[in-house]
Amino acid sequence: MAASNSRSCLQYLLHLAHDNLDFRLPIRTFLFCRLSPPTVTPFPACSLQSPFWCLDGLCEDDVRSIMARSVCAKSAFELWGHGQTHSELKTSILKYPLENMSPFMHKDSTYRINVYTFNKTLQFADRIKRIDAMEYLPFEGTVSLKNPEHIFCLLEDYGADPNNIPEHPNYVYFGRWIADGQRELIRSHSVKNRHFIGNTSMDAGLSFLMANHAKVKENDLIFDPFVGTGSLLVACSHFGAYVCGTDIDYNTIHGKGRSSRKNQKWRGPDENIRANLRQYGAERMYLDVMVSDAAKPVWRKAALFDAIITDPPYGIRESTRKTGSHKDITKPSDGIYVESHVPVSQAYHLSDIFTDLLNFSARHLVIGGRLVYWLPIYRPEYCEEMVPLHPCLRLISNCEQTLSSHTSRRLITMEKIKEPEELDGLAHLSDPRFSPYQGHNAFREKYFSGLNKRCGKEDNKSEVNGE
């Protein structure tokens, strides 16, 4: 935590984006793992589902560190006052120490007051009225709308129900703006504008979330065993990590074959993962990618990676395959495959994918390194026992992203706590918690079963309506 000074340990307010609520966890992970334990509390009439979080026990440098990484947070403020009504807000602000206000309100300063409302839109005239009503603030400086030295914000929370918006806010806040989050990364790294994409390229916002869950930092070595078009490598390289990966799909690794872009039949000559990192000025962080089967060991036995971040195939848009066959296939007599040989492939069940992924991570992560991956779930059957476990990995977080009424995927974050031992390989025999959950193998069938049921209901509605 930053050194104490006269302005340390104030109250701060985080304004969070109101999407993928489960994925606000990286902010709290950062707070509780890197900084001295602060408190994260909601105000009366609010909850941790609210887009406004109050932080105690931090200083401004800590808050800036959070905002420099977070794609969940929009802005952070030094909180000067709050209340359930504007009258309570005024009372709260007037109790705020004047010595904390004065550095930002002297006559040589310039300032601006913004008004933000959550779940309600105010007319411009109403915003002006709210600003005029705060004339009790002892500002001595000059208003500057274009380039102020200090920005202040009045924030009103009207709840989260768009169908039941109250006339008056549930809670109001006022504070000095400190920093914005990294929401701009979602736009600047959008896959819509990316040089090389595929059918399953990870959304930019989720890619950065995964990098934050993994605590990716400068000079880390990051690996993706199902690298695809490298969206996760792009996010990790942005934070200064060296990146590499593997994939069983030769065409994807080499940027060959049909394009995933509309009105483009074939991929261009420079459509590859390296070109993606070059697009964002991070080519120097690119180590390499190679064609490899995640089910086959190809790495030397050593702790190599600071984090393993991946999105395994679910069998929906990308097949789950591995090399090999259930049949007895003999090699040529000289034991060497001819140049034109194409390896036989077979189904790679999801339960086997996750078992291999956890075993690989236990062997090749450094102590304290993290594994972050997506686990597809059939929601009617989900329970926590379905999340794969390993004796060398501790479960850190389990966040849900809903895909449909019957399916979702959960972002699983695990941390390596010890090196694997011989007995760990037999743990699943004695402890049922480490046994692979076979129900994952039917995810594809359940996914399309639910899709067909939904389509059938829509057809029936059309018939009833005479369409």
Side-chain angles (χ1 to χ4, degrees):
M1 188 169 175
S4 176
N5 55 56
S6 60
R7 294 189 50 78
S8 65
C9 297
L10 302 174
Q11 267 196 326
Y12 295 92
L13 183 73
L14 286 189
H15 174 205
L16 305 173
H18 204 65
D19 53 13
N20 293 323
L21 303 188
D22 265 9
F23 296 102
R24 293 170 175 175
L25 187 68
I27 299 176
R28 301 183 71 183
T29 301
F30 182 94
L31 290 170
F32 288 96
C33 293
R34 177 174 171 178
L35 307 174
S36 297
T39 57
V40 181
T41 57
F43 287 103
C46 300
S47 69
L48 286 178
Q49 299 300 307
S50 167
F52 301 106
W53 283 6
C54 175
L55 304 180
D56 289 309
L58 300 177
C59 71
E60 189 167 319
D61 288 342
D62 296 332
V63 176
R64 291 185 184 276
S65 296
I66 296 168
M67 303 308 286
R69 289 292 300 254
S70 177
V71 293
C72 286
K74 289 186 174 183
S75 302
F77 306 88
E78 178 189 322
L79 189 61
W80 286 14
H82 56 88
Q84 291 182 298
T85 65
H86 282 273
S87 177
E88 289 184 9
L89 174 65
K90 179 179 178 179
T91 302
S92 179
I93 292 176
L94 293 177
K95 291 180 180 178
Y96 194 70
L98 185 60
E99 60 269 23
N100 287 345
M101 292 185 181
S102 56
F104 313 101
M105 309 180 81
H106 57 83
K107 63 180 180 179
D108 296 326
S109 65
T110 58
Y111 69 95
R112 182 180 76 219
I113 298 179
N114 295 334
V115 177
Y116 174 80
T117 55
F118 175 70
N119 196 34
K120 187 172 184 176
T121 302
L122 291 181
Q123 298 295 325
F124 179 75
D126 293 327
R127 294 174 182 270
I128 297 299
K129 288 180 181 179
R130 280 162 169 72
I131 294 174
D132 290 341
M134 304 193 74
E135 61 183 0
Y136 54 85
L137 287 166
F139 285 109
E140 297 180 1
T142 305
V143 173
S144 174
L145 298 181
K146 290 187 177 180
N147 190 27
E149 291 180 67
H150 310 296
I151 299 175
F152 301 87
C153 196
L154 173 68
L155 304 102
E156 298 183 345
D157 184 359
Y158 287 85
D161 185 358
N163 298 315
N164 186 25
I165 302 175
E167 181 179 354
H168 302 289
N170 295 333
Y171 219 84
V172 288
Y173 316 85
F174 183 82
R176 178 179 65 89
W177 174 83
I178 294 176
D180 287 331
Q182 303 302 306
R183 300 286 292 174
E184 171 62 19
L185 290 176
I186 298 175
R187 186 202 63 79
S188 63
H189 287 68
S190 171
V191 294
K192 294 180 180 179
N193 304 316
R194 192 164 297 171
H195 187 69
F196 175 48
I197 61 171
N199 293 334
T200 58
S201 292
M202 181 64 64
D203 170 81
L206 294 177
S207 298
F208 284 107
L209 279 168
M210 294 178 73
N212 278 339
H213 272 270
K215 300 195 297 186
V216 173
K217 61 185 184 300
E218 191 173 359
N219 296 324
D220 276 354
L221 178 58
I222 309 300
F223 176 67
D224 183 352
F226 302 95
V227 70
T229 57
S231 292
L232 299 177
L233 304 191
V234 167
C236 294
S237 66
H238 174 80
F239 293 125
Y242 293 95
V243 295
C244 57
T246 60
D247 202 286
I248 197 172
D249 190 330
Y250 176 93
N251 286 337
T252 299
I253 286 290
H254 291 279
K256 299 180 180 296
R258 290 187 174 275
S259 173
S260 297
R261 295 188 185 280
K262 186 178 181 181
N263 301 324
Q264 181 180 335
K265 189 172 182 180
W266 304 101
R267 290 186 173 120
D270 191 38
E271 289 193 45
N272 52 55
I273 297 173
R274 179 189 289 272
N276 277 350
L277 272 74
R278 185 187 308 127
Q279 178 182 355
Y280 300 108
E283 185 177 6
R284 65 186 181 85
M285 312 311 299
Y286 177 77
L287 298 180
D288 208 348
V289 294
M290 65 179 180
V291 180
S292 179
D293 184 354
K296 302 292 189 294
V298 297
W299 299 90
R300 62 184 174 87
K301 294 182 179 180
L304 304 172
F305 307 114
D306 295 289
I308 296 172
I309 308 176
T310 193
D311 181 27
Y314 317 144
I316 307 301
R317 288 185 292 177
E318 295 291 341
S319 61
T320 54
R321 308 293 293 176
K322 65 178 180 178
T323 56
S325 173
H326 297 297
K327 301 178 181 179
D328 293 329
I329 300 179
T330 57
K331 296 182 179 180
S333 56
D334 58 1
I336 301 176
Y337 288 118
V338 296
E339 185 176 350
S340 62
H341 171 76
V342 177
V344 177
S345 66
Q346 66 183 85
Y348 194 12
H349 297 302
L350 284 178
S351 61
D352 296 330
I353 289 178
F354 299 130
T355 298
D356 291 345
L357 179 60
L358 267 62
N359 286 334
F360 178 89
S361 300
R363 290 193 299 268
H364 296 297
L365 278 175
V366 300
I367 296 293
R370 289 194 168 188
L371 165 66
V372 181
Y373 71 96
W374 289 101
L375 177 71
I377 292 296
Y378 185 65
R379 298 182 72 195
E381 298 178 358
Y382 171 73
C383 61
E384 291 187 1
E385 287 72 20
M386 296 170 62
V387 178
L389 298 177
H390 192 281
C392 296
L393 304 172
R394 180 176 70 240
L395 181 64
I396 299 296
S397 65
N398 176 357
C399 306
E400 182 182 27
Q401 181 195 25
T402 301
L403 301 177
S404 69
S405 60
H406 58 285
T407 60
S408 67
R409 58 181 180 179
R410 306 190 75 91
L411 185 61
I412 307 299
T413 302
M414 310 184 83
E415 187 172 292
K416 183 174 176 178
I417 55 176
K418 68 170 187 173
E419 295 294 346
E421 303 171 358
E422 291 185 12
L423 294 178
D424 292 331
L426 303 176
H428 68 280
L429 298 177
S430 58
D431 192 336
R433 294 178 303 162
F434 303 125
S435 300
Y437 175 72
Q438 301 298 323
H440 293 305
N441 299 336
F443 176 75
R444 175 183 169 84
E445 290 73 19
K446 293 172 182 176
Y447 174 88
F448 285 109
S449 173
L451 194 65
N452 292 335
K453 289 179 181 178
R454 187 178 66 184
C455 292
K457 290 181 180 178
E458 291 176 353
D459 292 339
N460 290 335
K461 288 182 181 178
S462 297
E463 293 176 3
V464 170
N465 294 331
E467 297 179 2

